[in-house]
């Protein structure tokens, strides 16, 4: 590991964030711009981890606050096709793993990466461990609905699940949602193939029973057909199902955009119509823009960890960095550890 | 069971179809209209099963060919909330179960229902049994993609799966796709959380290995993000995953429509734009209209069975009835039984 030549001493109250600068499809340019913009939003210190020469080239184009922004050189990059577990061992000097070890060593308070999600889950789980009482980490992703936003958790951190894992996703997702949206008692839904309690696999019936007994505001099974109606704040599922639901939605949304563009472009009249109605398309895009929401927290690891989509625009990374700051300053993980411990004790007594 | 007072004697070559007339949200009106329209499309005999008085009321409104259309009275209706397995035992005189037993007794060649899907799977599986060699039935649903249509199988017939079930879905889906689309060697994809062979659950790695060894045109894992790109003809998954993928897609599509309507209606200018571009929206609707494709075949049961969405419009039911005719006249089930037997022998020898 390289030393920290440019790292400013952070005062105790300043949140320190390590950003893997080599994660987005447009790295490190997007990460550099996002970091500079994020510094305007929050009082914090950012360490950009990655190819120092490339990072400096982008920094030179903007105004960088050297006291609040450092660079830590890392030789390697975890690629999207790298096997997650192996990448932790074989690419010790990758920007992702160096950034995660900064958190492990207490040199920063949080870490963010838009790189290989599986590798990030492995690296943080192995290096940081899990919060007391947590059995599996989960990735929560905000999804746009008719009534605002919901959190879908887990979307792929863990595909080999037990009922207790999904119960814990619900607890962690609820704490996260309370914190970022000021919702006192988030409504929890369990993604299933129907609303009736008896629906779904044995696993899901087990989760249903646990959620029913818990202190959570559990509203029952959520049929897939209602996911985007927004009746729940937090929607719980296993990582395989959540990953498929999220990616199939991405696929459908982009295909719908493709159809719209193709069909609206076919005649001059349609093109004129599209021009006059452009404000509507812009408004829909804004209302459903995940970039506004930033990244997806990896909840349950012993450290504040944010994951971004590899295709994130600068705005998404910027907002994710600001979001990470807020999770640290509001001590989300302390709250999660406390509530998980209480809930597990309560359920084991019942 | 009531007798068949109105049933015309069907000549050997005429395909005879029993239609559960009480399945759609607008039963039996939609079923009656669909049946009458379908008789214009194909040479066949249809038995409408359900409340005779209500059915006659709708028939009186249109021209019914009494020689080609019969009514079989059934007292009960399987409701959407009825538990599937129990409905087979407790509602023996329901339109669905009476229709299925017509097929069991050889009085018709196929059965169609837009009622409770789970109940239809149970009723047909229990009454008809499965095709030789088939271990689980699967529901295949056509989904619109950028490059035409794909078949997603299974979307909820069976949520407790083994690798061999998904292999069989691939075989059955391929035979169906060959028949209805004249595709000689359909491309098969396995819905997964990534493209690499190692991705997904143990179950999916098992399916991947089986598909790799089979005679099928297996193109590997299909990442959820590519589902609507249309690179595969047949997309295989377990019933839970397929049900979530399908319903989440329905939810997103309807929510997108909701957003469009809301935002396009906000100002006079946008409304004018929407009017000028109306042809584009109409074209997209037509290109992605599942009603064109009719219903979803329940493949693997020992009998030709078609399932429709409860919310189907008349056109969907009409096209589904015509589709059923074609499956019977082209002897789909004989082909499936033959290929399944060959494939199972081949895989057991390997």
């Amino acid at each position: 590991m390289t030393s920290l030549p440019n790292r400013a001493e952070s005062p105790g109250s300043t949140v320190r964030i390590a950003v893997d600068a080599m994660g987005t499809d447009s790295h490190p340019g997007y990460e550099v711009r996002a970091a500079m913009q994020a510094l305007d939003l929050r009082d914090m210190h950012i360490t950009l981890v990655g190819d120092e020469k490339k990072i400096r080239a982008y920094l030179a184009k903007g105004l960088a606050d050297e006291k609040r922004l450092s660079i830590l050189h890392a030789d390697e990059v975890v690629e999207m096709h790298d096997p997650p577990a192996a990448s932790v061992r074989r690419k010790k000097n990758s920007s992702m793993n160096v950034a995660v070890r900064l958190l492990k060593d207490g040199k920063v308070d949080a870490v963010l990466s838009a790189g290989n999600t599986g590798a990030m889950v492995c690296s943080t789980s192995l290096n940081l461990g899990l919060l007391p009482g947590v059995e599996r980490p989960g990735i929560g992703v905000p999804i746009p609905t008719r009534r605002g936003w919901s959190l879908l958790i887990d979307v792929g951190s863990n595909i080999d699940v037990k009922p207790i894992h999904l119960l814990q996703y619900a607890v962690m997702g609820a704490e996260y949602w309370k914190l970022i949206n000021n919702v006192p008692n988030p409504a929890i839904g369990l993604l299933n193939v129907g609303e009736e309690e008896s629906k779904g696999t044995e696993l899901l019936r087990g989760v249903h029973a646990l959620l029913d007994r818990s202190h959570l505001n559990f509203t029952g099974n959520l049929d897939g057909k209602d996911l985007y109606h927004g009746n729940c704040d937090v929607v719980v599922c296993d990582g395989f199902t959540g990953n498929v639901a999220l990616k199939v939605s991405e696929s459908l949304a982009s295909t719908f955009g493709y159809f719209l563009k193709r069909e609206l472009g076919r005649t001059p009249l349609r093109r004129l119509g599209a021009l006059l109605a452009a404000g509507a398309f812009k408004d829909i895009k804004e209302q459903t823009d995940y970039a506004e929401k930033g990244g997806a927290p990896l909840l349950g690891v012993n450290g504040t960890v944010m994951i971004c989509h590899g295709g994130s625009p600068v705005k998404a990374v910027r907002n994710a960095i600001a979001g990470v700051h807020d999770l640290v300053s509001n001590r989300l993980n302390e709250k999660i550890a406390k509530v998980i411990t209480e809930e597990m004790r309560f359920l084991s007594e019942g």
Side-chain angles (χ1 to χ4, degrees), chain A:
Chain A
M1 183 182 164
T2 358
S3 64
L4 273 167
N6 297 307
R7 198 166 157 278
E9 284 300 309
S10 303
S13 63
T14 302
V15 174
R16 303 159 303 167
I17 301 175
V19 173
D20 170 8
M22 313 302 280
T24 68
D25 298 343
S26 306
H27 66 263
Y30 277 18
E31 281 88 346
V32 171
R33 283 166 57 196
M36 290 194 292
Q37 290 178 16
L39 288 174
D40 291 336
L41 299 176
R42 300 286 192 282
D43 176 31
M44 55 187 165
H45 182 276
I46 296 173
T47 305
L48 288 167
V49 185
D51 186 318
E52 180 162 3
K53 209 171 150 188
K54 288 185 185 165
I55 294 171
R56 286 217 177 273
Y58 282 98
L59 270 179
K61 293 178 192 166
L63 274 172
D65 183 341
E66 294 260 337
K67 280 188 187 161
R68 301 173 65 211
L69 189 73
S70 320
I71 302 170
L72 177 59
H73 180 71
D75 280 325
E76 293 175 297
V77 175
V78 175
E79 306 289 349
M80 286 301 176
H81 55 77
D82 278 330
S87 71
V88 181
R89 294 189 309 271
R90 292 187 203 148
K91 291 195 167 175
K92 285 208 186 338
N93 292 323
S94 61
S95 55
M96 179 185 287
N97 288 321
V98 170
V100 171
R101 283 204 305 275
L102 285 181
L103 179 51
K104 181 187 182 184
D105 297 340
K107 290 175 178 164
V108 298
D109 305 303
V111 63
L112 178 148
S113 176
N116 183 323
T117 300
M120 190 65 177
V121 172
C122 283
S123 181
T124 53
S125 299
L126 291 171
N127 279 301
L128 310 171
L130 301 179
L131 288 171
V134 172
E135 297 197 10
R136 290 286 185 286
I139 303 170
V141 162
I143 57 169
T145 75
R146 296 187 191 193
R147 298 171 62 178
W149 293 76
S150 297
L151 185 78
L152 184 67
I153 180 170
D154 169 44
V155 298
S157 160
N158 169 28
I159 62 174
D160 187 17
V161 289
K162 295 179 184 169
I164 196 70
H165 303 161
L166 274 80
L167 181 276
Q168 295 194 339
Y169 295 156
V171 172
M172 297 191 292
E175 288 304 309
Y176 177 72
W177 213 239
K178 278 183 204 175
L179 192 153
I180 70 163
N181 290 314
N182 268 322
V183 178
N185 198 14
I188 312 286
L190 177 61
L191 187 59
N192 207 329
V193 295
E195 286 172 9
E196 301 83 354
E197 196 176 327
S198 61
K199 286 281 181 181
T201 55
E202 201 185 321
L203 172 89
L204 286 172
R205 287 191 292 276
V207 180
H208 195 290
L210 277 176
L211 286 167
D212 247 352
R213 280 178 54 212
S214 76
H215 292 99
L216 292 161
N217 177 17
F218 177 48
T219 58
N221 286 329
L222 180 76
D223 193 306
K225 73 179 163 50
D226 298 323
L227 181 62
Y228 289 97
H229 283 66
N231 299 331
C232 297
D233 297 300
V234 177
V235 180
V236 176
C237 57
D238 69 89
F240 184 86
T241 303
N243 193 279
V244 168
L246 186 70
K247 286 178 168 176
V248 162
S249 297
E250 273 180 39
S251 180
L252 183 59
S254 77
T255 296
F256 202 82
Y258 166 88
F259 280 136
L260 266 182
K261 204 169 170 183
R262 186 177 73 184
E263 296 306 325
L264 287 171
R266 277 208 199 281
T267 69
L269 198 66
R270 289 182 184 183
R271 285 195 289 273
L272 176 62
L275 200 66
L276 297 179
F281 299 119
K282 192 163 159 278
D283 283 353
I284 294 173
K285 204 169 175 185
E286 271 174 18
Q287 287 158 27
T288 59
D289 184 10
Y290 78 92
E292 289 294 337
K293 296 290 158 182
L298 176 63
L299 300 175
V301 292
N302 190 11
T304 303
V305 179
M306 188 70 84
I307 290 170
C308 290
H309 196 294
S312 289
V314 171
K315 183 167 71 171
V317 181
R318 175 196 75 196
N319 290 346
I321 298 174
V324 165
H325 167 278
D326 299 349
L327 301 186
V328 172
S329 63
N330 287 290
R331 301 176 183 279
L332 173 67
N333 278 347
E334 282 177 33
K335 289 171 184 164
I336 287 178
K338 181 170 174 287
V339 180
I340 283 274
T341 307
E342 287 169 2
E343 197 63 50
M344 294 302 283
R345 192 182 304 136
F346 172 76
L347 290 172
S348 69
E349 284 167 357

